Amino acid sequence: MKKSLNLVTILVLFFCSSSAQTINPKNIEIVRDSFGVPHIFAKTDAEVAYGLAWAHAEDDFKSLQDVVLPAKGLTGKVQGKAGAAADYAFALFRCMEITEAKWNTLTPAFLKLIDGYVQGINAYAKAHPNEVLHKKIFPITAKEYIASSVLALTAFNGADKVLMGIFNNVIETDPELNKKGSNAMAVHPNKTTTGEAFLLINAHQPNTGSQAFYEAHINSEEGLNVHGGLLAGGPCILHGVNENLGWAHTVNYVDRVDVFQLEMNPANATQYKFDGEWIDLEEKTITLRIKGIPVAVKRKIYWSKYGATMKNKQGFFSIRLGANMDIRALEQWYYMDKAKNFTEFYAAIKDQRLSMFNITYADKYDTIFYVNNGLVPVRNPAPQYNWKSTLPGNTSQTLWTAFRKFNELPQYVNPKNGYVFNTNHSSFFATDAANNLKAEQFPATDGWETWQNNRSIRVLQQLPADKLDYASFRKIKFDKQLPAVLQYPHNIDTLFLLSETAYPLYASLIQTLKSWDKQGTADSKGAAVFLLSYLHLAKKLGAGAARTLTTAEAVETYAYVYDYMMKHFNRTDLALGDIQKLVRGDKEWPLWGFPDLLSPQWTANYKDGKLKSVGGDGLIMFIRFTKDALPQIETVNMYGASAKKGNKHFDDQVEMYIQQKTKRMTLKKEEVYGKAERVYHPGE
């Protein structure tokens, strides 16, 4: 036994020391294609990660820095008051503490990858000091980097919204009209006319910043050969395709976060009752440094048995979720990248290192798969506990300590009808009616999604009963049609039922909307009226319980649209593209789409009454798998590979995106080099 322990110790020391080896950038080649997409080639995974960090920094160094700022406590210093919230959340959710405590759960191979990535971003910062946002950001350490990923996943899981609800003295749990989303679809070879498996990868993310998808290809001699998308700080591909298989992520809304109100001691303001005993809150004072404020701001943060705890006017509230209990999410993506078949892919995801996201999968071996993935608490089913609302934080009866096992999550392998898909809707409508799982098969306390949305209905309406050809598969993704019966959380059909003769001032608008074909094309006048109505109602109804729009509210909505159009455009016969624009730099283009179309947009104010897209398709990927060849890959990114104005790849995919065309990509090394526009080492 003693000899075995010594051997283990030696191996651990070997791997740990190896992971800290200095990488020589001359061993790495970055190959830029005609669209500026980086293809990274090196012998080792760690070297590839170094090259990926360097290439991404060349294209969008600011976003990479934004991700790590909270770990340095510098978001407030760089971004002001809004940024200070991230520094506060990083401390509140104990992102560094959990990273320190769980560090030994990371595998040696992954630690090598992370060390390579961190070396790459530190090297870029050293070589480009004029691009560094704050002099104290760099160098970053591997632990700071991983702790930043813990915060990112904690926020993605919904903790940010809960935190803001507590901060504003209101905890909101109602559905929003303006729900954003993503698309993913896998089709089995038996369902396609060509005998290929099809995979759609189409996450709907912000167009810019740290949550915008960056397209890249990584290739090492240690088993990485993956093309796809990653967010800022991703050390590998987060969803995409390798030589044998591919997967897509969509955001899921299964209940992963719980809020508990603590019962405080009237005689001691920082004690709470738990199982009949008074327990001291763990208390810590943190220092927030905020741009524009010369004096540091002190804030107290708390921790209870339930987790991160905040005080507001209503009392003390604790937030509990799995995302800040594990640090291995990036590690799971790394092993998903390296999987060679479904067995290896399933092994990579079943350990539940990733706390959320639907996964839709296809491969060249005739397997399609879908899982509603997440760290879902095993909750007390007693009827007195409403897990959709705030829970009593004074009893072990509400303190869950375990999660559903992976095989207990809703999932499908090769359903008989030959397809699975997700548009952020219920996993109980992931395929056809005959093969869908049933909600009653799963505990109600899990809080699984039960709804359809406009996009899910449109997918089902367009799928043929027999086989699907590739052109039709692409057409489904680029669809701009709403279903006849709208699936928004609130019933807004009243807009379509008003009599134009009863409201002569708004008669043309009412008639335009009533005669609209419910397509969100740029030349549609009905779509223009609908978009402005939608945005107005999203603010008015979004936080309330789902209900039907009243006649008075419908009239008021038309009044808003009329006043808006007249104020900004002095006419009401406007097409969607007159109002909504794709804006990149100082250029603008008329743009189709609105929320919950399969080709969506969500917008912000631009200028002169015009709106600009700030989120939507992001990176679109179409994959075709055959048994005896590399996958065929087609992609388009909304803007281009570079976020730097003046770079030729800043907007060179815009026209392609507007026309809904794609570019061909490849995993074949010889083809990448044969069509390269530039080949170089990091630092050259």
Side-chain angles (χ1 to χ4, degrees):
M1 179 64 72
K2 186 175 181 180
K3 289 183 179 180
S4 298
L5 287 174
N6 287 338
L7 178 60
V8 169
T9 302
I10 290 170
L11 288 173
V12 169
L13 289 172
F14 171 77
F15 282 122
C16 289
S17 62
S18 298
S19 69
Q21 290 181 348
T22 301
I23 288 175
N24 183 356
K26 296 295 184 183
N27 296 334
I28 306 162
E29 286 192 328
I30 300 174
V31 182
R32 297 279 186 172
D33 62 25
S34 60
F35 289 95
V37 175
H39 305 252
I40 318 297
F41 295 92
K43 183 177 180 179
T44 69
D45 294 348
E47 290 168 335
V48 164
Y50 183 112
L52 178 61
W54 186 281
H56 201 166
E58 288 181 314
D59 291 323
D60 193 3
F61 190 38
K62 179 184 180 300
S63 291
L64 294 185
Q65 295 178 78
D66 287 343
V67 172
V68 299
L69 282 172
K72 294 288 190 176
L74 292 171
T75 323
K77 287 291 287 184
V78 173
Q79 299 177 3
K81 290 182 180 180
D87 295 336
Y88 175 85
F90 184 86
L92 177 72
F93 289 107
R94 294 189 172 182
C95 299
M96 182 55 72
E97 290 89 337
I98 186 66
T99 299
E100 293 278 3
K102 299 280 188 177
W103 190 252
N104 62 355
T105 64
L106 299 173
T107 64
F110 176 69
L111 287 173
K112 286 184 179 181
L113 181 89
I114 293 305
D115 185 71
Y117 187 89
V118 168
Q119 285 189 47
I121 193 170
N122 283 334
Y124 186 90
K126 185 176 181 179
H128 301 84
N130 60 315
E131 296 182 37
V132 174
L133 297 176
H134 193 282
K135 63 182 180 180
K136 293 185 178 180
I137 300 177
F138 297 100
I140 63 167
T141 68
K143 285 184 178 178
E144 288 169 339
Y145 171 77
I146 292 296
S148 297
S149 75
V150 173
L151 176 64
L153 265 296
T154 299
F156 252 115
N157 272 266
D160 57 339
K161 294 180 180 178
V162 174
L163 190 154
M164 291 308 298
I166 296 172
F167 180 79
N168 292 319
N169 303 296
V170 177
I171 300 174
E172 297 176 355
T173 59
D174 293 320
E176 297 179 1
L177 180 67
N178 193 14
K179 183 162 283 189
K180 303 161 187 176
S182 304
N183 304 322
M185 186 175 184
V187 187
H188 193 276
N190 290 342
K191 179 70 176 177
T192 68
T193 58
T194 58
E196 303 165 307
F198 297 160
L199 177 66
L200 167 66
I201 303 172
N202 179 214
H204 299 163
Q205 288 293 113
N207 298 340
T208 59
S210 61
Q211 293 185 28
F213 267 105
Y214 180 71
E215 183 177 6
H217 170 208
I218 55 177
N219 183 302
S220 79
E221 295 178 21
E222 293 183 332
L224 285 175
N225 189 13
V226 200
H227 188 108
L230 57 135
L231 304 180
C236 57
I237 300 303
L238 303 189
H239 66 178
V241 57
N242 65 26
E243 296 177 6
N244 304 298
L245 56 87
W247 71 97
H249 287 304
T250 52
V251 172
N252 52 352
Y253 295 96
V254 58
D255 187 3
R256 298 179 297 268
V257 184
D258 287 316
V259 180
F260 303 85
Q261 184 165 9
L262 304 183
E263 181 181 345
M264 306 307 295
N265 186 350
N268 187 328
T270 57
Q271 284 188 334
Y272 65 102
K273 183 179 286 187
F274 186 80
D275 283 349
E277 296 184 7
W278 294 114
I279 299 175
D280 291 330
L281 280 172
E282 296 180 43
E283 182 179 335
K284 180 180 179 181
T285 300
I286 62 171
T287 302
L288 300 174
R289 294 174 174 84
I290 304 172
K291 182 179 180 181
I293 300 178
V295 180
V297 177
K298 303 288 186 179
R299 288 288 183 268
K300 288 185 178 181
I301 57 174
Y302 304 93
W303 191 269
S304 74
K305 285 180 174 290
Y306 294 93
T309 301
M310 293 178 64
K311 179 184 179 182
N312 69 3
K313 293 179 181 179
Q314 298 166 286
F316 282 82
F317 295 86
S318 293
I319 307 170
R320 189 169 181 82
L321 70 165
N324 69 331
M325 298 180 184
D326 202 312
I327 67 171
R328 301 173 299 158
L330 293 175
E331 180 181 85
Q332 177 171 317
W333 273 308
Y334 171 56
Y335 288 111
M336 290 162 70
D337 279 14
K338 301 197 77 167
K340 298 181 180 65
N341 51 50
F342 181 63
T343 299
E344 292 186 7
F345 186 85
Y346 198 86
I349 63 177
K350 72 179 178 63
D351 287 341
Q352 297 178 283
R353 291 168 280 193
L354 183 58
S355 53
M356 64 176 297
F357 298 123
N358 295 291
I359 302 172
T360 303
Y361 166 99
D363 65 30
K364 70 177 186 179
Y365 304 110
D366 296 347
T367 299
I368 62 172
F369 169 73
Y370 162 80
V371 61
N372 191 336
N373 172 68
L375 290 177
V376 181
V378 178
R379 300 176 171 104
N380 188 338
Q384 65 265 36
Y385 300 124
N386 180 4
W387 291 99
K388 294 182 179 180
S389 186
T390 302
L391 282 303
N394 59 4
T395 170
S396 55
Q397 294 299 305
T398 60
L399 181 61
W400 50 260
T401 57
F403 300 100
R404 294 291 173 199
K405 295 178 181 179
F406 191 78
N407 62 7
E408 297 178 295
L409 309 180
Q411 55 195 279
Y412 302 76
V413 179
N414 289 336
K416 292 181 180 180
N417 66 313
Y419 66 85
V420 288
F421 75 103
N422 184 263
T423 63
N424 313 103
H425 69 296
S426 171
S427 45
F428 308 125
F429 301 106
T431 187
D432 69 344
N435 292 281
N436 276 320
L437 297 171
K438 307 299 181 185
E440 52 267 27
Q441 297 174 271
F442 299 84
T445 56
D446 289 359
W448 299 104
E449 308 94 319
T450 57
W451 60 81
Q452 293 264 31
N453 56 29
N454 293 300
R455 287 172 291 130
S456 65
I457 295 296
R458 283 298 299 159
V459 169
L460 292 170
Q461 288 176 344
Q462 293 180 87
L463 280 166
D466 49 4
K467 297 196 174 187
L468 179 69
D469 62 78
Y470 182 63
S472 298
F473 178 66
R474 285 173 55 97
K475 186 178 178 182
I476 291 173
K477 156 61 215 128
F478 290 132
D479 181 63
K480 301 180 187 66
Q481 179 72 55
L482 285 173
V485 178
L486 300 180
Q487 301 293 316
Y488 294 110
H490 298 286
N491 182 357
I492 57 175
D493 288 347
T494 313
L495 290 172
F496 299 87
L497 301 176
L498 290 188
S499 169
E500 54 268 38
T501 58
Y503 307 97
L505 184 60
Y506 315 131
S508 63
L509 294 176
I510 296 171
Q511 182 57 43
T512 296
L513 194 63
K514 290 172 72 171
S515 61
W516 178 44
D517 60 5
K518 294 185 179 177
Q519 289 201 32
T521 56
D523 61 355
S524 171
K525 294 181 179 180
V529 176
F530 180 77
L531 176 63
L532 292 177
S533 300
Y534 178 98
L535 295 176
H536 175 67
L537 291 171
K539 293 179 181 179
K540 184 180 181 67
L541 304 178
R547 62 181 179 83
T548 298
L549 193 69
T550 68
T551 298
E553 289 170 331
V555 175
E556 188 269 337
T557 300
Y558 278 114
Y560 168 81
V561 174
Y562 178 87
D563 291 343
Y564 187 97
M565 288 183 169
M566 292 301 295
K567 175 182 177 181
H568 296 292
F569 301 94
N570 202 32
R571 60 190 180 96
T572 60
D573 60 336
L574 296 164
L576 180 61
D578 295 326
I579 300 173
Q580 181 169 270
K581 304 293 182 180
L582 188 157
V583 179
R584 188 63 162 165
D586 55 3
K587 301 177 184 177
E588 65 177 54
W589 294 260
L591 188 60
W592 36 260
F594 44 73
D596 210 22
L597 288 182
L598 286 164
S599 288
Q601 308 294 337
W602 60 88
T603 58
N605 291 330
Y606 173 39
K607 63 179 181 180
D608 302 326
K610 291 181 286 189
L611 307 170
K612 66 176 180 179
S613 173
V614 295
D617 275 322
L619 176 64
I620 303 171
M621 299 183 67
F622 296 101
I623 317 296
R624 287 183 282 174
F625 293 97
T626 55
K627 288 183 175 60
D628 302 319
L630 289 174
Q632 297 181 58
I633 308 168
E634 296 177 55
T635 74
V636 64
N637 217 339
M638 187 172 188
Y639 292 143
S642 176
K644 294 185 176 180
K645 191 175 181 180
N647 187 295
K648 70 176 182 178
H649 302 300
F650 179 70
D651 60 7
D652 62 340
Q653 295 185 53
V654 170
E655 293 288 351
M656 185 187 309
Y657 172 77
I658 288 176
Q659 297 172 29
Q660 296 189 316
K661 296 181 179 180
T662 51
K663 59 188 187 295
R664 184 178 175 275
M665 306 304 287
T666 182
L667 295 173
K668 191 173 183 180
K669 186 174 182 178
E670 297 78 8
E671 187 175 345
V672 171
Y673 275 90
K675 295 181 178 180
E677 286 208 342
R678 184 188 175 201
V679 180
Y680 61 101
H681 305 295
E684 292 181 350

